[in-house]
Amino acid sequence: MELSRPSRLGRRAFTALAGTTVLGLALGGSVSSAALPFSGAPGPVPTGPPPGPPGADGRRHRVALDRYSLLVDGRRLTLWSGELHPFRLPSPSLWRDVLQKMRAYGHNAVSVRLAWNQHSAAPGAYDFTGVRDLDLFLRTAAECALYVVLHPGPYIGADVDAGGLPGWLTAAGVRAGTADPAYLRHADEWLSRVNAVAARHQFTRGAGTVLLYRTDTPERAGLDHLRARLRADGIEVPLLHAGSPLVWEEPERTRDAAEARRLHLDRLAQGSTLHNVRTAFGGTSWGWLSAPSAPSPTYDPTAAIDEARRPTDKLAPLHQLGHLLRHVPDFTRMTQAPAVRAADDRIRVRHLANPDTGAHAYVLRNDSATEVTSTLPMGGSDVEVTVPARDAKLLATGLHLGAGRRLAHATVQPMLSLSVGRLDIAAFVGRTGEMAHLVLDCPSEAWPTRLDEEAAWAFDRGQLHITVPLAQDRLTRVRVRSGESDRTLLLLLADDAASLRLWPFETPSGRILVRGPELLRDAALDGSVIRLTGDTVGERELEVWAPPGITDVTWNGARVQSGLGRAQSLMTVWPLPGVPELVLPALDGWRRRPENFESEPGYGDEGWTVAGRRTSHSTTPVPDGQPVLFADDYGFHYGDVWYRGRLTDASGAESVSLSYRTDAHGLLMAWLDGEPLGTHRPRPAHEDGEDGPGTWTATAEFRLPGTAREALRERTGTDPAPVLAVLVRSTPHGQDAYRTARGLVSARFEGASPGVRWRIMGAAAPDPVRGPLNNGGLYGERHGWHLPGYDDGAWEAGSPADASDEDRRQGVTWYRTTFRLDVPPETDASVGLVLDGAPERDVRVQVFLNGWNMGGYAGGAPHTFVLPNGILRTRAAANTLALAVLSDGGTVPGPGPVRLELLGSAAGGVPVKPVPSPGRRRG
């Protein structure tokens, strides 16, 4: 039976409907009338420790759910997933880097969309190798101990060209997303190819960590068909769709930390236990991947981990909440509790309670523009709380913090609670400058010890009151002992910055907690040694809480001197080293060559496709009296497209009107017998809403130059036919109107009615390594000017910054150079290519690194292209950089200064294998 999102089903209605019913999750599974018993006991599954980290362990696993949460092998699991699109990170080695970061920052699952168009260049052709290696990604996710929620579409949205549907489907005469049998045959073939890989990695079989399978299919018939398809392909994990009781929470993107906190705490307050952060990592819409809705190569600049794989300010609340859901199991079974009001009604309160543990949670939300301080009844006391403007807080009461200690209330958020040996550790987090106040219920008088100077406390009538001012990037530790227990409670209080250097980790021998470095990737216990791997940026002290018997620490393979500290931790004597300084080379040695050979009247276009069709599968009507000129109908789905039309009986022609369809950053250039007619860009007033968002219909009207008109009048029957050449860019397909025409639509003349015999040329055969979305139809692309190894020795010297007014021309100019980096092996450096831009340079640029199309630039504002390691050779190897610049003749044909910039670096990282980047073939 499937899991999915109801049609706005309220929590109260859902609770009444679901009761304590458990739904069998395997496809075709049964419905039970009682909750799956925990450890064989009757009745609902109580709150308890979550299942351990997932992996390909070779054992069968059970997955079920009740009205509170997923149940994995009889244990409650709150899913805290982060979305990552592997196709937006074209370096398989770096998948591990981002997945390790996601797990370290609190995620226990990764949500994965697959773009059909990345894998299929033609009907029946599928490629799951190289940067499209799904098997490798799923193995890596399992090695990083992350569950996988798989969403293979066929339609995925995600601001991908045509929503992920392949370009060839636009001309296949099928209606995607319907029960059209022709479409279903193609879709079934795609899903079967995906399922053949996914089935080998299902968590239920112990072969991997694929836990859930997602689809957006809304109709019952479509679901029935999909269910049969999955069953036939051996998929047995739960199916998540848009119509059954368990809600998949995938909230909209957020701009900053406060908005992220407000949004995700609100979902928690509604009782959700299936959370997804969209997106955890944004990445790059390289090549011609992006839909018109997101034309920038940078996908989701608001992502918690940015395109350069760096943490952003928005990460702290997600890190805190992820570890809370992982390490405080009370939140896997929360129900609505009696309403509680703050004294100031600008603070809205949602009250939840766990029926097993007696813990209570209070989600406080302040939507006003000012900070609000008020009182709130919690744990039998009126507690003064402060919520910043347009922010939120999660407070709790009744949490067990180890033997005999219970949280009465606190003004800061719990982040984790775990036991390490004979030590109970609880961490609380708040904003910088806040005064944290914790109150613990203690049966007998407690003996606190201040381990850092900031803490103060008082014991009064069975309660220990602790106050700590939260300073920037500072952790405060308080040790609490008492006579009734031999266990020690260690309280950690941190602001957002300090919380990002707290790393809980689960090993087969028990939990550990690490403080200090910028990232903890892995931890392993080896006899008396704990082996840690991770990243540092600056010099950092290292503090480790580990099980008894651990006396030595290694960091990234090297032993570090340590001793036992007052917090019962291992403390390094010397700080861990930071990252060494890295100097990037200047980009020089540029060479330049113009093209536009296609615009010349004598250019040989005999191998081009004749554009003579009269009917089209497009939803765009074919203009009366015109042939089909739509690029997709001739197999050219991505990038620039050239047209050459030979005219007959053109004498007397005064002007030509060229209608075309593209996106907002598209343009059209035209020449008559090699003479420029002009460049046209679509304007907002021409947006055609009927074709869906992102489709722009424009008409370029060019008056023929006097010399051209005279040449047409003087042309005789023995002269070669005049040639109208047209270049159209760009051709991304809208997500919701993928069959809308792209490219030239029609040509009409004033003063004459010439006949036109059209030929069309776009991208050559798809690059077998880089895939179908890498190349467009420019001459230089078709002839390998963007590839390593191309011989540009005959090109003239000239850089993108040096182009002058004398160089102005309409058309395409290429620039090439090579450079070398020498990044130390122990350093992970993220490097960007910066186009500084200038308002007066309204050019279009495609950026190629070692033959890989890193995306497009529409002139004016500066933009930084992130160059992913693997495609970027960082270890004393040559890199080839090529720029294809389209200029309209009114500006110089260059984007201005181009430079490398270090976006971030760390001592650590993951081993990176070079991504295959074949050069130009000889001969």
Side-chain angles (χ1 to χ4, degrees), residues 572-907:
T572 54
V573 175
W574 307 107
L576 301 176
V579 63
E581 183 180 0
L582 182 64
V583 178
L584 300 180
L587 296 176
D588 52 21
W590 289 94
R591 306 190 73 82
R592 176 177 67 183
R593 187 180 183 186
E595 48 151 288
N596 303 353
F597 308 114
E598 299 92 338
S599 68
E600 298 299 327
Y603 178 81
D605 59 13
E606 296 81 6
W608 289 28
T609 302
V610 174
R613 297 186 179 186
R614 294 294 169 179
T615 61
S616 170
H617 291 300
S618 172
T619 56
T620 302
V622 179
D624 292 341
Q626 298 274 336
V628 174
L629 298 176
F630 312 152
D632 285 303
D633 285 83
Y634 299 99
F636 304 120
H637 308 300
Y638 309 113
D640 301 288
V641 179
W642 274 98
Y643 298 83
R644 283 172 55 87
R646 285 181 166 79
L647 311 182
T648 56
D649 300 324
S651 178
E654 299 288 331
S655 64
V656 61
S657 297
L658 300 172
S659 177
Y660 65 104
R661 294 188 179 219
T662 179
D663 73 338
H665 287 171
L667 56 75
L668 177 145
M669 294 179 174
W671 296 259
L672 183 62
D673 276 345
E675 186 172 356
L677 299 182
T679 299
H680 191 272
R681 299 173 181 81
R683 299 290 185 265
H686 296 147
E687 187 170 8
D688 188 346
E690 294 182 359
D691 288 328
T695 296
W696 297 67
T697 300
T699 299
E701 298 181 354
F702 300 118
R703 181 166 178 79
L704 304 186
T707 54
R709 298 198 304 271
E710 183 178 352
L712 291 176
R713 287 193 297 268
E714 294 178 354
R715 195 174 294 267
T716 68
T718 59
D719 292 329
V723 175
L724 175 65
V726 180
L727 174 63
V728 180
R729 115 148 354 171
S730 58
T731 58
H733 305 82
Q735 295 188 97
D736 302 317
Y738 74 101
R739 287 196 296 153
T740 299
R742 290 293 187 267
L744 193 59
V745 174
S746 67
R748 301 188 185 278
F749 295 81
E750 293 291 333
S753 298
V756 188
R757 301 188 309 276
W758 288 103
R759 289 179 182 267
I760 181 174
M761 175 57 74
D767 188 308
V769 173
R770 300 173 179 92
L773 279 77
N774 194 74
N775 296 346
L778 297 179
Y779 181 94
E781 291 175 286
R782 304 198 311 270
H783 291 81
W785 291 12
H786 60 303
L787 296 176
Y790 179 83
D791 185 3
D792 58 15
W795 292 21
E796 65 177 341
S799 78
D802 295 339
S804 63
D805 288 343
E806 290 75 20
D807 300 316
R808 291 189 180 192
R809 60 186 297 275
Q810 175 179 290
V812 186
T813 303
W814 283 79
Y815 298 86
R816 283 174 55 94
T817 189
T818 60
F819 63 92
R820 289 177 178 268
L821 300 178
D822 191 13
V823 179
E826 66 277 5
T827 298
D828 177 14
S830 183
V831 177
L833 181 77
V834 181
L835 275 63
D836 286 320
E840 68 276 7
R841 296 196 180 199
D842 188 7
V843 296
R844 303 290 188 266
V845 184
Q846 289 302 122
V847 175
F848 294 90
L849 175 66
N850 295 326
W852 290 83
N853 185 343
M854 293 289 96
Y857 166 81
H863 184 78
T864 299
F865 290 82
V866 175
L867 308 178
N869 297 345
I871 290 178
L872 178 68
R873 309 301 198 237
T874 60
R875 309 283 191 250
N879 293 279
T880 298
L881 180 64
L883 308 179
V885 181
L886 277 68
S887 57
D888 61 7
T891 185
V892 296
V898 179
R899 56 188 169 85
L900 298 175
E901 181 177 289
L902 184 62
L903 305 178
S905 62

